[in-house]
Amino acid sequence: MSRKTNALKKTVKEYAWLELVQSGNIQKLLVSELEKYLKHYKLSSSGTKADKIRKISLHVLGADKGGSKHADDKPLNKATEMGQKCWKMYM
């Protein structure tokens, strides 16, 4: 199966979003995968791929105004030092 086919089959909860953001590997995801997260959390999906990555990163790291929640809908802990560095990367 192609990468795109596999991506279409995965649900939002099957991704390790915090790990993807902290490692920078979120950049390797397809736009359709990023949009899946944005749609699930009712965030705007407008803009470029970089815009989508920034929105997700801010949401995952809890830097958004709404008190971010993670894929399992449990509140995330404060961003780790590595997460903060990653967050700055997208600002």
Side-chain angles (χ1 to χ4, degrees):
M1 271 189 242
S2 72
R3 182 171 168 231
K4 189 171 186 175
T5 303
N6 284 336
L8 291 172
K9 290 183 178 183
K10 286 179 90 172
T11 66
V12 171
K13 294 184 179 191
E14 293 180 82
Y15 293 87
W17 293 103
L18 182 59
E19 184 180 315
L20 286 166
V21 169
Q22 289 178 333
S23 68
N25 287 333
I26 193 169
Q27 295 179 4
K28 295 178 183 178
L29 296 180
L30 300 171
V31 170
S32 61
E33 293 174 290
L34 300 173
E35 288 174 344
K36 200 178 297 190
Y37 180 97
L38 295 168
K39 182 178 179 181
H40 180 81
Y41 288 101
K42 298 179 177 143
L43 301 171
S44 169
S45 62
S46 64
T48 64
K49 182 175 181 179
D51 293 331
K52 294 174 194 326
I53 290 170
R54 183 182 55 78
K55 289 174 192 178
I56 293 170
S57 298
L58 291 172
H59 190 255
V60 167
L61 296 173
D64 66 336
K65 294 178 183 173
S68 162
K69 294 194 177 197
H70 195 242
D72 60 4
D73 292 311
K74 293 179 184 170
L76 286 176
N77 294 330
K78 296 283 183 191
T80 62
E81 184 177 322
M82 179 190 282
Q84 289 172 349
K85 288 178 186 175
C86 218
W87 177 75
K88 288 176 185 175
M89 209 168 58
Y90 297 110
M91 288 304 292

